Amino acid sequence: MLGLATISCAKPAQTPRETVTIRIGVPTPASRPQLGLSNSIDNLTVESLLGIGWDGRPIEELVSEWDWLPGRRGFRLRLYPNIKFHDGTPLDAALARDILLGKLAKPSPMTVGLGSVAGIDVEDNRTFVLKLSRPEAFLPADLANVTLYHPTIAYLGTGPFRRLTAPPPSSEIEEEVTLGSFDDYYRGRPQIDVVEMKRYMEQRTAWAELMRGNIDALHEVTPSSLDFVEAQSSVKTFPFSRPYYIQLLFNMRHPALKQAVVRQALSQGVDRQALVDLAFNGRGVPAEGPLWPKHWAYSTARKTFNYNPEAATLRLDAAGYKVVKRPGAMPSRFRFTCLTVAKDPRYERIASLLQKYFQEIHVDMDVVALSMNDLVARLEKGDYDATLAERTSGRSLAWTYLAYHSSKVSNGYAAADAVLDRLRRATDDEETRAGVSDLQNILYDDPPAVFLVWPIVVRALSTRFVADIEPGHDVMTNVWQWRSAPRVNHP
Amino acid sequence: MTRITSRFVLLIASAAIAPLMLYGAVSVAHLGTGTEQSVREGNLRVAEQVGEQIKQYIVHNQRVLRSIGLELRAANLELWQQTRILKDYAIDFPELREISVFGPGGRLVATSAVSGTSLTVPDAANVGSDGMSVAPLSLDRDGLPTTTLAVRIPHGDQSSGWVVGELALEELWRMVDRVKIGQEGHALLLAENQRLIAHGDADQKHYIASSGQPGAPRLPEQDFAAALLADKSRNQTHYVDEGGGDMLAVAARVPALPWVVVVEQPTDEAFAVAATLRRQLLVAITLALLGTVVLGSLWSRSFISRIFALKRATRAIAEGRLDERVAIGGRDEIHELGDAFNSMADRLVELQDDVRKQERQAMFGKIAAGLVHDLSHPIQNIYNSCKLIQKMFDDLEYRDTFKRTVDREMVIVKRVLEDLRNIARPIPLERFPIEIDRSIGEVAESMQQLAETAGLTLRVEAGARAAYIEADLFALGRVYRNLIINAIQATAPGGDIVIATAVEGQRVRISVADTGCGIPPDKLSTIFDDFVTTKRRGLGLGLAISKKIVEQLGGQIGVTSEVGKGTTVTLDFPRTQAPRIALVAG
């Protein structure tokens, strides 16, 4: 990580002022620790053409205006003026086109409809059009998942902060990084000069560092320590609902779990609210499905699973699953193994609770904790019965497509393919609403997982800094607008 | 003289103010110390209760582990059942992060941890006789303090196993956080090595995370805890905490554990009640003092003013204004005194009138007696001569004798009448520079015969040099003669009369001293008054007229006397320059 050339950028004349440095502690996401700090770094250094708002509709990012061509056979985008990469290279329509064409040649697995892009025409210095072979409702969401890097220097972006050193080789996980403010950022120079980020394997470790004053901001506060952090006058907390949910995802290849009625029974056998209270100290919302509840098309008139172990038992009985004694194991209707990430107290607690609930309806869930590498390997091979993990719903429907379309997943679930394809082809809001409603019903009738919780995430920031953010939104999305708090002179 | 006002001030001060102030000082002092001691004792009780609660917290969790052990000891539980039991307990008892069961030899039997346990069986040194263990505080992988509890599970004759649980630090913190004293008081929990386990101040919890780290600051609470562990009587102290606040701290040991609970509270807040009570008491006492002073002043003023009124009236009476009366209000003895005073003044006026009548009568009597004495002889002589002239009118010699007798006696009558007249009005005087020695010498010479006849020695002791005064020779001579005659009349034969003159600066002093019988002291002050005499008869105007003459001449007259030894009358005149031409006295 050290010893690489420092990037030099042309800086305009600045009024000399005290360097403002903020240190952010980033607990590694339990689901993908191998990512290290890469996501957090990308959030500050690179940008997409579009973003997705809290209601699931596209919002500005590099692009300030957009519209569909008739019949949704094209998507016109207009860039903001004066966008530059961190080395000063201007980003215009032509360069954006070239970068996109490169992406299209190797589409990311995180995209759905980029394959429908037949070509890109540049209309002027800032405007270009994506020509589509067919309507792609998920195109804006895909464009939100496509980050624009410098065409030749892979780690340079257009974001408000820039790397001061090149990233390590991909085989290494970046533990710490220092970012500097980008003076030519098209939306205005950040008021924070330096951002230091450090990765922590566990949230509790990062919390301890916050207490010691070794970091100024904490990416996520553990539920068990939240009341202590909130009581600190030197720290301000920012709770918000993140588009991530925790689920017990089933592999349809399991003989019992492939039956929808079994999965329905398991969904009914879990007291989600109690799980929120016991595992998240009440900081969460019971999950009814994988769709982002704040999505503009989300239907509240949907069928939901209430905690009803008796009904669950009846379902299992009706499905023919009787309680059978098994040597060395609890008497049960059937048994399955749940994989989860090791050494994460939160998942351990959730797993224990699920075991308890399933035990009540005589389903034996064996929990196996694995390192993330081993877990990912088994998931990719489909070598699992169920997995307990956190999953992003995204704020758009594209993520739901990615999570549950059979072309994208390895668990053999295909019940939602038709409706997901319909949503992908929707050309107006009415079609989308109808598709979402149908999807919700399908996810109830044939649930691919037991959807558990939408955790409320709490970020923490030292009161030495001010972050203006609408309540309920993610304060980490506008780090470039943070500033030092005014100093109070005490007599 | 000690004024009555001062007496009243002293009275109020000694009877009310001083005792009140003394009471106030003692009360404030005792209130302050008493209340502060109550606060300390109250906080100490809180610390002891918190210590007991923590002990019960530990005991409770040990009991949980013990019940787990008993439950697991039940016959033939399979591994999944044991694991289920442990997980259920871990869910139901958030105070325990993880529970593991070990068999004989420390072999892991079951654990609630999904990812595998990091717990081990306890060190034998940390196991009590009751088979329970509380491990010394250590730091977990996050650098936060942690400890484990362990309970032995007896297995009949076999070696026992263990149920080990890791305490959830956060739950212990919540318990300590609930300890609140006032608005800002809180508790801390420290381990045997003074490492901070819990801190009740949300903004100071970071010291827990820093405790044990290189370069971590040493807190005053840690020193306090160490002192208590060394000497249990040192359970109260003051210090300035890391935030700069002056803190009252008390400490108590957690029973059966080497931990210390410190309860600290800002001194301002802890003693706020005492300070408020002190302030209130001071205000009350101040108000009482002011009230005492004001009421005392008002009352004493009303009392003293009446006394002063009596004093003024008395003084007026003494100055002769007998018409002065007092109006004393109220219905007390002072009022009665005022009435008595008025009555007395009325009576005084009556008495004065009586005395005046009597004095007038006495004076008239005396004057009449004097006149009779002084005039009866010459009038009788004139009468006798008039009777004889009727018979001896033809005797030319007797007619000549008759004329001389009448002339002589009429001179005496005129002189008596002249004296009477001079007492009432200023004596006309002619002033000329007169040599004193010469004027005295001439008078003394003319009185020599009279002195010799009385068997007395009359001599003059003149001054060293001549001295002049502005005087009327005739009037001055009369003064000399009057003084010499008095001296002759007062001195027994064989005595001496000395007339001396002396010059002292610009004053000329003339003294007439005799060795006579002297004047009684009670008469001395009135000797120069009109109609006062030591003789049996006479008007008593001689010295009065002499005094008048001397004073009209700008001089002074004085007398000293001792009964049985003699009298000296002294005349004191301002000196004057000698005339160009000395007038002959005579």
Side-chain angles (χ1 to χ4, degrees), chain B residues 411-482:
Chain B
V411 166
I412 293 171
V413 169
K414 282 180 184 176
R415 189 170 64 239
V416 169
L417 293 178
E418 183 70 16
D419 282 349
L420 274 174
R421 189 162 57 87
N422 286 338
I423 283 299
R425 60 177 174 85
I427 303 167
L429 299 175
E430 297 289 334
R431 297 169 194 262
F432 294 98
I434 295 172
E435 200 218 332
I436 287 295
D437 289 333
R438 189 167 179 175
S439 63
I440 289 172
E442 289 173 355
V443 170
E445 187 179 341
S446 68
M447 303 292 287
Q448 204 55 254
Q449 181 62 42
L450 188 59
E452 286 175 3
T453 302
L456 302 173
T457 304
L458 175 63
R459 68 174 191 277
V460 175
E461 294 178 357
R465 54 180 188 223
Y468 290 82
I469 65 174
E470 285 276 335
D472 182 304
L473 183 63
F474 177 75
L476 192 63
R478 186 174 173 182
V479 171
Y480 296 153
R481 277 190 291 278
N482 181 254

Side-chain angles (χ1 to χ4, degrees), chain A residues 202 204-208 210-213 222-228 231-234 278 281 326-331 340-345 347-349 351-353 355-356 359 367-369, chain B residues 78-81 83-84 87-88 90-94 96-98 112-116 140-146 168-174 177 202-211 213:
Chain A
E202 294 186 27
R204 196 165 182 270
T205 311
W207 168 52
L210 180 70
M211 271 200 291
R212 293 187 190 102
T222 61
S224 61
S225 61
L226 181 58
D227 51 342
F228 303 122
Q232 264 183 275
S233 62
S234 59
L278 292 172
N281 277 0
R326 301 171 194 275
M330 65 171 260
T340 191
V341 66
K343 297 193 185 306
D344 188 313
Y347 284 98
E348 291 197 13
R349 196 160 182 83
S352 292
L353 283 165
Q355 281 183 313
K356 182 179 175 182
Q359 186 181 4
V367 178
V368 173
Chain B
E78 296 191 36
L79 176 60
W80 68 268
Q81 289 170 311
T83 305
R84 188 70 256 155
K87 287 183 177 179
D88 286 347
I91 290 169
D92 293 338
F93 293 94
L96 297 164
R97 280 173 73 176
E98 180 189 326
S112 66
V114 171
S115 309
D140 62 18
R141 55 183 176 272
D142 300 320
L144 296 174
T146 187
L169 178 72
E170 287 82 345
E171 289 303 318
L172 190 58
W173 284 12
R174 288 190 184 93
D177 284 354
D203 289 326
Q204 296 189 38
K205 277 189 171 51
H206 60 92
Y207 288 112
I208 304 172
S210 305
S211 183
Q213 302 281 323

Side-chain angles (χ1 to χ4, degrees), chain A residues 168-188:
Chain A
S170 57
S171 58
E172 292 180 22
I173 296 177
E174 206 161 11
E175 299 287 345
E176 295 182 50
V177 70
T178 301
L179 308 176
S181 63
F182 180 40
D183 295 347
D184 287 335
Y185 185 57
Y186 63 98
R187 290 178 191 250

Side-chain angles (χ1 to χ4, degrees), chain B residues 418-429 431 472 475-476 478-479 482-483 527-530 541-558 571 573:
Chain B
E418 183 70 16
D419 282 349
L420 274 174
R421 189 162 57 87
N422 286 338
I423 283 299
R425 60 177 174 85
I427 303 167
L429 299 175
R431 297 169 194 262
D472 182 304
L476 192 63
R478 186 174 173 182
V479 171
N482 181 254
L483 294 180
I527 201 69
F528 293 107
D529 290 350
D530 302 340
L541 294 177
L543 284 177
I545 291 173
S546 296
K547 178 171 183 272
K548 196 166 182 179
I549 292 169
V550 167
E551 287 176 352
Q552 279 186 227
L553 292 176
Q556 294 168 347
I557 186 169
L571 308 177
F573 292 101

Side-chain angles (χ1 to χ4, degrees), chain B residues 19 36 156 264 267 396 497:
Chain B
E36 288 175 4
E264 60 181 19
T267 311
L396 282 175
I497 298 171

